[in-house]
Amino acid sequence: MSRRKTTEPARLKGNINHSACRWCYDKIELEDLCVAGKEMGLAAIDLLDPPDFKIVKKHGLTCSMVSFPIIDGLGGITKAWNRVEHHEKLVQAYTQRLKETADAGFERLICFSGNRDGLDDARGLDNCAAGLKRILPLAEKLKVKLCMELLNSRRDHPDYQCDHVAWGVELVKRISSGRFKLLYDIYHMQIMDGDVCDTIRENHPYFDHYHTGGVPGRNEIDETQELNYPRIMQAIVATGFKGYVAQEFVPKRPDALASLRQAVEICDV
């Protein structure tokens, strides 16, 4: 049982659907995170596995991005859809996770390209498209959107293949399904591509979810880092985006929930 008392939720402007990534607050019980999150105006929690679904639903929240399945070491960031030899097991794992996502009434499921490991970008595109097309009919039937995350390969995820917007956008075009889009992680793409606001303006039809994080260090998104998050949120709102923006910074300060509350306020434009 949560030790926190429920209070009236914060009054926000309503232009941004706020979420927070579970893993950044793993020292806080999910029950407590849900209670505190709802108080500060969160509508959702990101990156949950099926055993946690009932907890967020109990608190009137949704899971804005369901976490990836792992099967025999496949499905995570480093070993995923860019290898044909992974496809059979990934199809099996994602078939189950798609059904679990739909059964819970959630709408988005994350996926990854995997690392290059010597594979050129053109072949990686071909392989990802071929594999993902095998599960897109089920995603379309269940009305679940698969979102491949853009990650930086410069600092955090060396050799990751889906590390530039141009590559990810080309993959979306090749798959050509309304049920496959990109997760644009602002932290990661500031490191790889920069030009964040214009990138969002020019490519927003290919983006279905956003993550935050302070650059450098992936810490708080306030004056301690280089990105102007209110301006970025204004750029997102201007596109007509109706999905979720999930805080994915790692709190550096002792009071992690205070940092999360501050981030929600910064992003509420």
Side-chain angles (χ1 to χ4, degrees):
M1 181 178 294
S2 172
R3 296 180 294 277
R4 294 179 55 90
K5 294 182 180 179
T6 302
T7 61
E8 287 296 315
R11 292 188 177 183
L12 302 177
K13 295 175 183 176
N15 297 319
I16 298 286
N17 291 316
H18 298 277
S19 181
C21 291
R22 172 68 182 123
W23 72 268
C24 301
Y25 306 92
D26 56 5
K27 294 180 181 178
I28 300 171
E29 292 291 335
L30 182 56
E31 290 268 7
D32 290 341
L33 180 61
C34 288
V35 172
K38 196 162 186 181
E39 288 173 7
M40 64 183 73
L42 295 188
I45 304 292
D46 242 40
L47 302 181
L48 296 177
D49 291 310
D52 293 326
F53 289 173
K54 61 184 179 183
I55 298 176
V56 290
K57 295 176 85 170
K58 168 186 170 183
H59 291 280
L61 300 172
T62 190
C63 178
S64 42
M65 182 67 67
V66 172
S67 191
F68 54 95
I70 291 288
I71 180 169
D72 295 338
L74 306 178
I77 290 170
T78 62
K79 295 182 179 181
W81 290 99
N82 65 349
R83 293 275 169 183
V84 172
E85 59 267 30
H86 298 165
H87 288 176
E88 285 300 326
K89 289 185 176 180
L90 288 176
V91 167
Q92 176 186 340
Y94 268 86
T95 295
Q96 178 178 341
R97 188 57 55 93
L98 280 166
K99 291 176 180 177
E100 291 167 334
T101 300
D103 287 346
F106 302 146
E107 298 179 355
R108 292 169 185 83
L109 171 59
I110 198 169
C111 64
F112 302 104
S113 64
N115 285 1
R116 290 180 177 87
D117 195 22
L119 190 70
D120 68 63
D121 284 355
R123 181 61 61 86
L125 276 171
D126 290 342
N127 292 349
C128 281
L132 288 163
K133 282 181 178 180
R134 293 177 59 180
I135 58 170
L136 257 299
L138 179 61
E140 291 164 355
K141 177 182 177 181
L142 297 176
K143 296 181 170 57
V144 173
K145 200 166 290 185
L146 287 161
C147 295
M148 182 171 285
E149 185 165 14
L150 292 153
L151 301 173
N152 87 74
S153 60
R154 184 172 296 156
R155 300 195 181 278
D156 298 281
H157 302 289
D159 203 40
Y160 183 72
Q161 192 147 47
C162 186
D163 61 349
H164 286 284
V165 169
W167 192 95
V169 166
E170 178 60 26
L171 180 59
V172 176
K173 290 178 178 178
R174 290 194 187 191
I175 290 176
S176 188
S177 168
R179 293 293 166 180
F180 180 77
K181 300 284 185 178
L182 299 174
L183 192 171
Y184 182 82
D185 188 300
I186 298 162
Y187 161 79
H188 286 298
M189 290 301 98
Q190 166 69 356
I191 292 171
M192 297 302 295
D193 293 334
D195 198 26
V196 171
C197 290
D198 277 349
T199 296
I200 290 169
R201 179 178 58 80
E202 294 167 359
N203 296 280
H204 68 89
Y206 306 102
F207 303 158
D208 195 67
H209 199 74
Y210 292 90
H211 280 172
T212 73
V215 180
R218 199 176 197 113
N219 303 125
E220 281 80 356
I221 64 168
D222 56 16
E223 71 284 350
T224 62
Q225 53 90 56
E226 69 190 39
L227 285 162
N228 182 351
Y229 267 97
R231 177 66 189 92
I232 293 169
M233 293 302 116
Q234 289 167 358
I236 291 172
V237 170
T239 68
F241 181 69
K242 300 301 181 185
Y244 292 87
V245 174
Q247 302 294 337
E248 199 185 18
F249 64 91
V250 180
K252 196 172 184 179
R253 302 181 191 122
D255 190 341
L257 290 176
S259 289
L260 178 57
R261 185 177 297 105
Q262 179 192 40
V264 170
E265 292 169 355
I266 288 169
C267 288
D268 196 53
V269 299

